[in-house]
Amino acid sequence: MFLYGIIVPVIPFALEGRTHVKSDKVQYWVSVLIAVYGAALLAFSPICGWLADHTSSRRSPLLLGLAALLGSTVLLNVAPNVAVLIVARILQGASAAVVWVVGLALMADTVPQENLGQAFGYVGMGMSLGILVAPLLGGIVFERAGYDAVFAMAYALIGLDIVLRLALVEKKVAGRWNPVQAPGDENGRGGGVENLEEREGDIRDLAGTSTSAPGREKSPSSPTLQAPISQNHTHTHTHTLTPSPTPSHPPQQAKRPLRTRLPPLVSLLYSRRLLSALFGALIQAALMTSFDSVLALRAANIFHWHSTGAALLFLPLVIPSFIEPLVGYITDRIGPRYPAAFGFLLAVPPFVCLRYVTDNTIRDKVLICALLGIIGLALALTFPPFMAEISAVVAGKQAKMLEKGEKGYGEGGAYAQAYGLFNMAFAGGCLVGPLLAGFVVENRGWGTMSWVLGLLAGVTAIPTFLWMGGWIGDARKKKPAEGSGERDA
């Protein structure tokens, strides 16, 4: 987010001064460059997720993503025309998809499920810090040291990130050096093929489906009977008695449901629990970014503020996100349902009350800052629960497949593909939010926009309350088991 935000204050000047775009077309091309970035992020997220789950290491995709990010930064720095800027933004969106998806999957691999909400809270806080500091720092450096100095900061940060990625030791790699603990941990994440096969074998043995002794063939229709072992028997093997098979045609294997034969990227979408989390993430991103296209213009029209004053209005939206680690901690203790649903409900009154900001008075200036602060607090309650919920859904589906004797998601797992879907939802919200708010303000006015966004937040609270953490009816019957509680049907 820092590299994304650091060039925000300089792109308009680059368009006019370096690519010689006419001043009346600068706003148009700025909007195009924002849309191109979002479209690239949306398109590349599922691809990056699938590739990351089919590689042996998370580090290699991260390095490739950082290399693409470095290339896009160079293009943005030296772009002689708008076409090169567009290519650079596409490459920047693709690299952001890699870094986001693989980075989140790496965190899901590493952090235990019971602490994942708090960990994602720190991710949200880091995002907010980047959004808050980067434009301010980029503007100051551009004003004092020039255009190239802004990109020098970006190059230094990318270089530091590459060094840290090279020093990264993944959990499953570290497990190979530990003779006590297998590559996979107690949460079933990050294990290799050997650990996965071992878990599957244990489940089949418990179910009574283990293979018979060597040299004896078991009939599919004739179960193996194990004779009891005498107390003074010292051998470790078991004597098996197999009834004589009756001549009959072996029964045909039951056809697996379609969703179990689909790639995880598609089969995960059968989960209503995951769909509710993705829908909530899309709306959360749309609500947060809806102000990008209308808030600065509203401040200029009502309060006659220039760019600096309008930019300061975004501080009340961003500052409450620093409580997200605490929200994540609460999510780990009580589950994602109540923090996320309460966050959306809390956002409804301040969104609706934005319609009362109409005059250039101290009262209205205080009112809009207070309302934006409550909206920022409400949306901060939703981010960590959605992130933790996606990981919980994948873990729950994996556990259910292993219980049925299936292979599960394999060595690479499905965390990267799940977070690829999350990234798609988030990017979709970033595209929809500014367009929705701008369109409504243009055609129906600021007051209509405020209650439309409030209504959208209130409606989103319904599926969030019903499905986050599992179907609410199942939660009331019995406490869901840790990592499960999913109802796909």
Side-chain angles (χ1 to χ4, degrees):
M1 298 308 297
F2 184 88
L3 293 178
Y4 172 82
I6 201 173
I7 64 172
V8 167
V10 305
I11 283 295
F13 298 97
L15 285 169
E16 191 170 359
R18 299 173 69 93
T19 63
H20 308 294
V21 172
K22 295 180 179 180
S23 58
D24 59 339
K25 293 290 185 181
V26 170
Q27 181 63 60
Y28 168 78
W29 285 111
V30 168
S31 301
V32 169
L33 291 174
I34 292 175
V36 165
Y37 175 87
L41 183 63
L42 181 68
F44 281 94
S45 291
I47 300 173
C48 295
W50 187 88
L51 291 176
D53 280 336
H54 287 77
T55 56
S56 59
S57 171
R58 304 289 194 199
R59 183 171 63 176
S60 299
L62 278 174
L63 290 172
L64 289 176
L66 289 173
L69 184 59
L70 177 61
S72 68
T73 306
V74 171
L75 288 178
L76 287 170
N77 189 4
V78 303
N81 51 56
V82 174
V84 177
L85 284 176
I86 292 176
V87 172
R89 291 290 283 177
I90 293 174
L91 191 58
Q92 191 179 38
S95 63
V98 176
V99 174
W100 258 105
V101 170
V102 181
L104 294 175
L106 179 63
M107 180 170 288
D109 290 340
T110 306
V111 180
Q113 184 67 46
E114 61 271 15
N115 298 326
L116 204 53
Q118 187 175 13
F120 282 129
Y122 285 106
V123 172
M125 187 177 70
M127 288 174 54
S128 300
L129 186 63
I131 294 172
L132 178 64
V133 172
L136 180 62
L137 189 59
I140 293 174
V141 172
F142 176 72
E143 183 179 349
R144 299 294 178 87
Y147 185 78
D148 292 332
V150 175
F151 287 92
M153 288 192 299
Y155 296 144
L157 188 60
I158 294 173
L160 175 63
D161 205 349
I162 290 175
V163 171
L164 293 176
R165 291 319 128 231
L166 290 173
L168 172 69
V169 178
E170 297 181 51
K171 189 172 184 178
K172 63 181 180 182
V173 175
R176 299 172 189 166
W177 304 338
N178 189 348
V180 177
Q181 184 173 347
D185 65 351
E186 66 276 4
N187 297 300
R189 293 199 292 264
V193 175
E194 298 86 354
N195 190 45
L196 180 61
E197 292 176 349
E198 190 177 71
R199 291 198 305 270
E200 293 171 1
D202 292 342
I203 292 172
R204 284 194 293 268
D205 291 342
L206 290 174
T209 59
S210 58
T211 56
S212 57
R216 303 184 66 105
E217 192 170 330
K218 185 178 73 173
S219 170
S221 60
S222 302
T224 299
L225 304 177
Q226 293 188 350
I229 302 176
S230 175
Q231 292 181 355
N232 57 4
H233 200 286
T234 59
H235 294 84
T236 59
H237 67 274
T238 58
H239 296 280
T240 59
L241 301 175
T242 305
S244 301
T246 56
S248 61
H249 297 287
Q252 294 184 351
Q253 188 175 5
K255 190 175 181 180
R256 294 168 57 195
L258 175 62
R259 62 182 175 183
T260 64
R261 292 180 277 127
L262 293 172
L265 190 66
V266 180
S267 64
L268 285 170
L269 294 176
Y270 278 85
S271 169
R272 298 176 190 175
R273 182 177 169 186
L274 180 67
L275 287 176
S276 68
L278 294 178
F279 177 70
L282 186 148
I283 300 302
Q284 192 257 10
L287 293 175
M288 179 63 79
T289 59
S290 62
F291 293 107
D292 292 349
S293 60
V294 297
L295 186 58
L297 291 174
R298 184 67 176 178
N301 293 334
I302 299 297
F303 306 134
H304 309 295
W305 287 351
H306 297 293
S307 58
T308 302
L312 291 175
L313 268 182
F314 286 90
L315 287 178
L317 279 171
V318 175
I319 290 176
S321 61
F322 286 94
I323 70 164
E324 288 183 5
L326 176 61
V327 176
Y329 176 83
I330 296 173
T331 299
D332 291 332
R333 298 301 178 269
I334 68 174
R337 184 193 318 277
Y338 298 106
F342 178 71
F344 281 122
L345 289 177
L346 180 63
V348 174
F351 267 120
V352 175
C353 289
L354 284 173
R355 65 189 297 111
Y356 299 116
V357 179
T358 57
D359 300 317
N360 186 14
T361 62
I362 295 297
R363 183 190 71 85
D364 280 16
K365 292 174 183 177
V366 172
L367 177 62
I368 192 172
C369 290
L371 293 176
L372 292 176
I374 298 173
I375 291 172
L377 174 63
L379 296 182
L381 294 175
T382 63
F383 185 79
F386 289 135
M387 302 288 281
E389 176 73 350
I390 291 170
S391 174
V393 169
V394 176
K397 291 180 75 69
Q398 171 91 342
K400 291 175 71 174
M401 285 189 288
L402 292 177
E403 287 175 3
K404 296 177 182 178
E406 300 173 2
K407 277 191 172 183
Y409 291 127
E411 181 181 5
Y415 288 104
Q417 294 173 78
Y419 284 112
L421 293 172
F422 164 80
N423 230 32
M424 288 183 65
F426 188 85
C430 292
L431 282 174
V432 170
L435 292 176
L436 174 64
F439 176 79
V440 175
V441 169
E442 182 75 18
N443 291 273
R444 298 294 180 182
W446 172 267
T448 302
M449 181 216 70
S450 67
W451 71 256
V452 167
L453 295 180
L455 179 63
L456 191 60
V459 169
T460 308
I462 297 174
T464 299
F465 180 77
L466 293 178
W467 288 107
M468 285 282 284
W471 172 242
I472 183 65
D474 295 340
R476 291 184 175 183
K477 290 178 183 177
K478 58 179 180 179
K479 185 179 180 180
E482 183 179 351
S484 61
E486 180 184 2
R487 179 176 175 180
D488 292 326

